[in-house]
Amino acid sequence: MGFRLSHLSLAVSLVALALAGVAIYRNTYEAIIMNDGSPDFDLLETGAVSILTLNNKTRNSDRDNLSQQLTQESCVFSAVKGVVDSAIDNETRMGASLIRLHFHDCFVDGCDGGILLDDINGTFTGEQTSPPNNNSVRGFEVIAQAKQSVIDTCPNISVSCADILAIAARDSLAKLGGQTYTVALGRSDGTTANFTGALTQLPAPSDNLTVQIQKFSDKNFTVREMVALAGAHTVGFARCATVCVSTNVNPAAQLQCNCSATLTDSVLQQLDTTPAVFDKDYYDNLNNNQGIMFSDQVLTGNTTTADVVTTYSNNVSVFLEDFAAAMIKMGNLPTSAGAQLEIRDVCSRVNPTSVASM
């Protein structure tokens, strides 16, 4: 939010400067009218030069401030990118996990970093242990490291954990081969989280098409944007413990999971044929009735959504452009009206002054 306020302050300053210039010019002109009613052009020129000099100094100052702001933003982006790139180099799957973590944050009451808040035994239950997230969402340690990297590398810059989530998702997408996009800073962190909201607002693998369309419509997404965002399943894995639930899986899918075996959280099913590359294979799989999750495959069961699936399957560039645009829109989902907001010092807990609001 600090960056947005600086832009507003700059605009107000420029308007005030223009008004002051007009006033100075008028007062100078009136003051230097000679007795015969004609102006003294030497004095008038001197006044004009003074105004121009003032304008130039102010413009230079404003330009310096803008340059400093851009330098600060560049520092933040670089600090986060270094951590994200290293994490994905260490484990490619982490890229998909960070994209998903951002989605699960923004889709529940807006992009407020609520999903990052740890439970406090007997006091606070957040979103992490809600069924859609429990033992499923991951990457919290990467966000914590990115936050610390910003603190260490970019002193005196206040950046929210929600902003860091947005940057990490964008950088993960680019690292895996997707189309990059601009992330605007200025989000704030919530002082609470919504266990029930995670359960009711997030799309579920067992959701039919009608339910999915309604959930995305509730966030002001079109059907095409919904199908584009579903393409996040072109990277990453699902836990076999989730896949092997009959209501969650496409019964025609050829699975890697042995659903008759004992399943732990480390036993995984890739979500398309190239889980480490952000491409269009997810849509190719859907057209071959090989989408893994039930909620994925039903996208081909309606003419409108099926046409979008075919469009993306036929043209990866269109998919990548649409996905990037939908991610920008998702990253701007507003927080709930009346929400108490702050910039957290540590992403997993609210600031000490905000504990009373939890």
Side-chain angles (χ1 to χ4, degrees), residues 73-85:
E73 290 184 354
S74 296
C75 181
V76 172
F77 290 134
S78 178
V80 176
K81 186 177 187 300
V83 172
V84 170
D85 283 353

Side-chain angles (χ1 to χ4, degrees), residues 80-96 98-99 167-181 235 275-279:
V80 176
K81 186 177 187 300
V83 172
V84 170
D85 283 353
S86 178
I88 297 174
D89 286 339
N90 185 57
E91 182 197 14
T92 305
R93 180 190 173 202
M94 184 55 68
L98 291 172
I99 294 171
I167 300 168
R170 187 272 310 273
D171 291 347
S172 295
L173 175 66
K175 180 79 168 174
L176 297 178
Q179 179 174 304
T180 191
Y181 54 89
V235 289
V277 181
F278 205 91
D279 54 22

Side-chain angles (χ1 to χ4, degrees), residues 42-54:
D42 288 338
L43 289 177
L44 187 60
E45 181 179 352
T46 300
V49 169
S50 297
I51 294 170
L52 290 174
T53 301
L54 177 61

Side-chain angles (χ1 to χ4, degrees), residues 28 31 59-60 95 149 170 228 231 241 316 337 350 352:
T28 302
R59 279 198 298 267
N60 288 338
S149 179
R170 187 272 310 273
V316 67
V350 300

